[in-house]
Amino acid sequence: MNNCEYEQIEPQALSTPTPTLPPRPAVVEEEERARRKWEVFPGKNRFYCDGRFIVAQQSGVLPLTLGLILVTTVLFFVFDCPFLVKHLTVFIPAIGGVLFVFVVISLLQTSFTDPGILPRATPDDAADIEKQIDNSGSSTYRPPRTKEVMINQQVVKLKYCFTCKMFRPPRTSHCSLCDNCVERFDHHCPWVGNCVGKRNYHFFYTFIVSLSFLTAFGCVATHLALRAQGGRGLIFALQESPASAVELVICFFSVWSILGLSGFHTYLVASNLTTNEDIKGSLSGKSGAEDTGNPYSYNNFITNCCSVLCGPMPPSLIDRRGFVPVEESSQTVSTEMVLPVLAARKEIKVVGGPTPSQLPPSRALQVPSSPLPATPLSLTGRPQFSCLF
């Protein structure tokens, strides 16, 4: 019988092809770049100019508002002002120009300013609040979860926001359109494309008051221009200046709603109320409760007006142009990568001759009968290898 030799080949000597890793995805390169907070903002808002300007996601009416103001103003300055300057006074276009500048600037400030959005609770803060609620035996924490605080000797209930995971501060409400909790929430105005809250309410009040003056001024001036054209009557004036007729129609149908809105918000400012509080009647006494009152009022309309309109603007709390910490940025970027699973197997190559069972026990090679288990994966996504021999 010919002598047979058995050679055990180590796994390192096998000519197995080296697996090629997939190309590095662009997600990893994006993760390495420092991300700003507005890029991962959870609310339904849109940001422009690297987070400097913020508007609501549904801000399609804002261009219509700007368009109506620009069209009527241009028509007034082109077709009415020359006649009014010639027959009346040069101060008419000057006053109209000043009012127009006030309207446009206040509108843009209302639309692109953070209304007072409160940042959502971090997971740790939310867990602490849940723990306090679970440990508390008070029925006030049961749905709907409320919390009572004292403001000027009056009990005020704070509601729990299940979206932002926190108890809302006083006068704060959650806007369903923007999906944010806004401090001193007044209302969501589609005409300005933003919420109206603590940080932009004085801009909004300036906008509607100056717009009401501009609209009324345009109506009166246009009417004077139409009536004074040659003394031939209104029909002839409309035929001679159809652009002025268009301006008169727009101003006439808008002045009543604008004047009414300005008067309503003047009442709110003098009472130190918000539109949300006045509609619900929680502080204005409309709800029918006997002990309801406004704990935020100074009982003086001049002091209320100064506190609402003349107070300093508080800083923005969301810090939309700040950078996201590395640990938070890594959670927002998906790091799932397809890695090849490599199984460490030892192979035995037989050169020729009898099978290993025919060899003496001293020369027989022990081979495991069961196949090797699949390579386990750790929680980090990397394969773990274990030594089997």
Side-chain angles (χ1 to χ4, degrees):
M1 180 181 296
N2 297 329
N3 294 330
C4 299
E5 296 181 358
Y6 295 89
E7 180 182 357
Q8 179 177 352
I9 300 178
E10 298 295 333
Q12 292 81 358
L14 297 177
S15 59
T16 56
T18 303
T20 58
L21 294 177
R24 191 179 187 183
V27 177
V28 180
E29 297 179 0
E30 183 180 353
E31 182 183 1
E32 295 176 356
R33 179 178 62 87
R35 310 183 70 190
R36 295 189 183 271
K37 293 183 179 180
W38 68 267
E39 299 181 88
V40 295
F41 188 72
K44 298 178 182 179
N45 296 88
R46 291 186 295 179
F47 298 86
Y48 299 98
C49 297
D50 197 17
R52 290 178 175 86
F53 303 126
I54 177 175
V55 294
Q57 190 174 12
Q58 300 176 356
S59 58
V61 189
L62 175 60
L64 177 61
T65 306
L66 272 174
L68 289 175
I69 296 173
L70 291 175
V71 168
T72 53
T73 306
V74 168
L75 291 177
F76 171 72
F77 278 101
V78 172
F79 295 97
D80 294 331
C81 280
F83 182 87
L84 295 174
V85 169
K86 182 178 179 180
H87 292 81
L88 295 178
T89 177
V90 72
F91 291 104
I92 290 181
I95 297 174
V98 172
L99 290 175
F100 172 74
V101 171
F102 265 92
V103 167
V104 174
I105 292 179
S106 57
L107 172 61
L108 296 179
Q109 286 179 321
T110 307
S111 302
F112 297 140
T113 301
D114 170 23
I117 299 174
L118 296 179
R120 301 188 181 186
T122 61
D124 295 336
D125 295 338
D128 292 340
I129 295 177
E130 292 291 340
K131 187 181 299 182
Q132 294 175 6
I133 295 176
D134 293 339
N135 295 335
S136 175
S138 176
S139 60
T140 58
Y141 288 107
R142 296 175 184 175
R145 297 175 176 178
T146 58
K147 193 176 184 180
E148 294 182 350
V149 295
M150 293 291 296
I151 299 178
N152 292 332
Q153 305 300 322
Q154 186 170 336
V155 178
V156 177
K157 291 184 178 181
L158 307 182
K159 294 183 179 181
Y160 182 82
C161 181
F162 289 90
T163 302
C164 300
K165 304 297 182 183
M166 65 177 181
F167 284 99
R168 303 169 189 163
R171 315 190 81 176
T172 300
S173 184
H174 191 91
C175 178
S176 59
L177 296 177
C178 296
D179 199 20
N180 296 312
C181 278
V182 180
E183 194 173 6
R184 200 186 182 277
F185 177 77
D186 190 87
H187 69 287
H188 182 93
C189 182
W191 294 99
V192 301
N194 200 356
C195 288
V196 179
K198 185 177 182 179
R199 298 189 72 251
N200 64 345
Y201 182 80
H202 54 288
F203 295 141
F204 174 77
Y205 184 77
T206 306
F207 164 66
I208 58 177
V209 171
S210 58
L211 182 61
S212 62
F213 278 107
L214 179 63
T215 306
F217 176 80
C219 282
V220 174
T222 305
H223 179 70
L224 289 176
L226 291 174
R227 295 290 292 178
Q229 284 186 357
R232 301 179 182 179
L234 183 60
I235 302 300
F236 179 80
L238 292 175
Q239 295 175 354
E240 290 292 326
S241 181
S244 299
V246 174
E247 181 190 356
L248 181 62
V249 171
I250 295 176
C251 293
F252 178 79
F253 284 103
S254 60
V255 66
W256 309 112
S257 59
I258 296 174
L259 286 176
L261 186 64
S262 300
F264 173 68
H265 278 277
T266 301
Y267 154 74
L268 294 179
V269 170
S271 305
N272 202 344
L273 289 172
T274 64
T275 304
N276 185 48
E277 294 168 349
D278 185 75
I279 292 177
K280 292 182 178 179
S282 55
L283 301 180
S284 59
K286 296 180 181 180
S287 59
E290 297 180 357
D291 57 345
T292 57
N294 186 4
Y296 312 106
S297 177
Y298 295 94
N299 298 322
N300 188 320
F301 73 95
I302 297 179
T303 309
N304 289 336
C305 293
C306 292
S307 65
V308 175
L309 302 178
C310 302
M313 179 188 292
S316 178
L317 299 179
I318 56 177
D319 188 22
R320 54 187 181 272
R321 299 198 71 244
F323 292 98
V324 181
V326 179
E327 59 272 9
E328 296 182 10
S329 178
S330 60
Q331 296 176 1
T332 59
V333 181
S334 176
T335 57
E336 296 181 357
M337 298 175 58
V338 181
L339 297 177
V341 180
L342 304 177
R345 295 174 179 266
K346 289 189 176 183
E347 298 183 3
I348 297 179
K349 178 181 179 181
V350 180
V351 179
T355 60
S357 60
Q358 299 176 354
L359 292 176
S362 60
R363 298 186 61 186
L365 187 62
Q366 302 294 331
V367 181
S369 59
S370 61
L372 294 179
T375 305
L377 291 176
S378 66
L379 295 177
T380 60
R382 299 180 180 177
Q384 293 180 346
F385 299 99
S386 57
C387 183
L388 300 178
F389 297 97

